[in-house]
Structures are given as C-alpha cells and as structure tokens.
C-alpha cells in the first residue's frame, strides 16, 4: 500500500514571505497527485492535480502554484503569502488507472500572520 | 453551488444510538468514497462504493450507494465515542478528480 508524507507538519509564516510545502509518495509509481485546502472542520477544496512529471492542472485562480519535479514528489509554493492562504493543506495520491480512490497525507497546518 | 450536499453538517448523539449521514447530488458518479478525519490529520478511507444499489458493511457501519449513483448514505448502529470525527463523502467525476461534500461533524457523547 502507498504512504504519503508531508512536511512540515505545521508552519507559521509572515505575510509576504515565500512558501514551499512538500509531498512525497512511497509504495506506488506514476500516481496522480493532488493538493487540497481544507477550512476548519469542513470539506476539501481541490487546488491542483498532476497526472505526471511536469504536468499541473490548476483548479482555482489563487496566490499559489504547484510543481512536480519527480514522479512521486509534489510541491506547493507561493512567492508571497497572503493572510487568506492560512489553512490545512492536504496532499493526496491516486494510483492505478482504474482506481478512483485517493489516499491522503497527514496534512500541513499553515498560519500566515 | 455545492455539487455534493452532505447532511447533517453537525450531529451530536448519545452512545448507543443509531444515526444516518446522507450525501446527495444531481450528478452521476462513477464511484463514491467515504472518509473519516480526526482533527489535525488527513482523511482516512473507510469505503469505496462503485455499483448502483451497492451496500457495504464495515462492522457497525453500513454504506449504501443509490441505484442511480447520485447519492449515498452512511448508517452507524449503536454509536460509540470512538466514532466521533468528521465524516466526508467524495464522488468521482471522470477519471481524475473527486468532489467532496462539506462534511458531517459527528460527536458521540458517553
């Protein structure tokens, strides 16, 4: 079974500073990878997904960007954080073309002050 | 407009009671997943249902996928405090993406 790692677990950043959140996946190859943001106790909003190295689809216009430099690595970035970027960020992986189930990492709590 | 409506949003009941959570949509899904999430952690998959009318049981949890694959329900029998958490349903639209409901915050009081 696959394992999704995310770091850092918690991050406090000032407004205007850059951001880099990393997600790596073990136990699978050529997965679809996803970044979600979750408001407190609520559902998940899809931010980006990737079907392969260098392939990024953006779901909502925003202050964030994503990159996939390696098959099992997915990075969420920002050049200048906004207060509204605070939230709980989740990385997910889906492997197997016939599988629609996604598996989630432990998440990163981001607080922008 | 929420594509997948989940209800209720909050539910607080006593230990031993039964409950049902619903997910409804006007869209047809190729599959539907149920997740449970603890505070500060990622969602954990409980079940995936694929076939219209399908029923899956996981101990005291029963999951049903509607015949038309537009809705689903989660029924918990004899709820226990350990069932407390955020329950999320997610429907697969096409091959690449899931759409999530708003979640049901369930609290089971001892």
């Amino acid at each position: 079974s696959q394992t999704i790692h995310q770091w850092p677990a918690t991050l406090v950043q000032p407004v205007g500073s850059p951001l880099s959140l990393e997600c790596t996946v073990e136990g699978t190859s050529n997965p679809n990878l996803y970044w979600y943001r979750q408001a407190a106790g609520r559902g998940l909003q899809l931010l980006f997904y990737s079907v392969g190295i260098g392939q990024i689809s953006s779901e909502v216009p925003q202050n964030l960007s994503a990159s996939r430099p390696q098959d099992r690595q997915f990075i969420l970035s920002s050049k200048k954080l906004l207060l509204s970027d605070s939230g709980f960020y989740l990385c997910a992986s889906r492997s197997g073309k016939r599988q629609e189930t996604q598996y989630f990492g432990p998440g990163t709590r981001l607080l922008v002050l | 407009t929420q594509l997948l409506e989940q209800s209720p949003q909050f539910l607080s009941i006593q230990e031993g009671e039964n409950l049902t959570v619903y997910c409804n949509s006007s869209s047809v899904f190729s599959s539907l997943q149920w997740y449970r999430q603890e505070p500060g952690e990622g969602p954990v998959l409980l079940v995936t249902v694929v076939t219209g009318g399908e029923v899956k049981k996981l101990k005291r949890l029963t999951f049903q996928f509607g015949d038309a694959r537009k809705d689903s329900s989660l029924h918990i029998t004899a709820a226990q405090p350990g069932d407390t958490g955020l329950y999320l349903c997610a429907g697969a639209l096409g091959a690449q993406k899931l759409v999530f409901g708003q979640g049901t915050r369930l609290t089971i009081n001892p």
Side-chain angles (χ1 to χ4, degrees):
Chain A
S1 63
Q2 57 186 296
T3 303
I4 298 101
H5 301 280
Q6 285 187 246
W7 65 89
T10 305
L11 190 60
V12 180
Q13 292 285 98
V15 169
S17 64
L19 173 74
S20 181
L21 302 183
E22 189 162 347
C23 170
T24 58
V25 183
E26 292 180 358
T28 188
S29 59
N30 195 29
N32 282 10
L33 297 175
Y34 304 82
W35 278 112
Y36 292 89
R37 179 165 56 204
Q38 185 179 29
R42 306 297 288 159
L44 279 63
Q45 179 190 32
L46 180 62
L47 302 176
F48 301 94
Y49 71 94
S50 170
V51 300
I53 295 174
Q55 300 179 64
I56 308 295
S57 296
S58 175
E59 288 297 295
V60 294
Q62 58 203 318
N63 185 43
L64 302 169
S65 61
S67 62
R68 187 168 175 177
Q70 300 181 45
D71 180 46
R72 289 173 287 176
Q73 183 185 28
F74 203 22
I75 297 172
L76 184 69
S77 304
S78 174
K79 292 181 179 178
K80 287 186 178 181
L81 283 168
L82 306 173
L83 287 174
S84 58
D85 291 324
S86 294
F88 191 50
Y89 289 84
L90 288 158
C91 177
S93 170
R94 191 206 101 189
S95 61
K97 299 306 178 187
R98 300 175 66 86
Q99 276 284 349
E100 294 171 340
T101 299
Q102 295 180 17
Y103 296 91
F104 286 84
T108 294
R109 173 77 58 196
L110 172 65
L111 179 60
V112 183
L113 301 176
Chain B
T1 303
Q2 189 71 24
L3 196 59
L4 194 55
E5 295 287 342
Q6 193 170 338
S7 63
Q9 293 187 30
F10 301 94
L11 185 59
S12 180
I13 62 172
Q14 293 301 119
E15 181 177 0
E17 294 182 354
N18 302 332
L19 66 108
T20 302
V21 178
Y22 300 93
C23 268
N24 295 291
S25 177
S26 57
S27 300
V28 177
F29 298 109
S30 51
S31 69
L32 193 138
Q33 285 78 37
W34 284 92
Y35 294 85
R36 179 167 169 267
Q37 185 180 20
E38 300 281 359
E41 300 179 7
V44 175
L45 179 71
L46 295 175
V47 77
T48 299
V49 285
V50 179
T51 307
E54 181 177 3
V55 177
K56 282 192 175 180
K57 292 192 174 184
L58 191 65
K59 296 183 180 178
R60 294 176 293 101
L61 278 60
T62 302
F63 305 86
Q64 185 163 8
F65 201 13
D67 291 341
R69 305 205 316 274
K70 294 182 178 182
D71 54 84
S72 181
S73 64
L74 157 61
H75 182 79
I76 301 179
T77 304
Q80 299 178 1
D83 296 327
T84 293
L86 179 69
Y87 288 82
L88 296 160
C89 62
L93 282 178
Q96 308 297 349
K97 296 186 286 187
L98 294 179
V99 59
F100 281 81
Q102 311 98 307
T104 295
R105 172 69 61 190
L106 175 63
T107 302
I108 309 300
N109 303 299

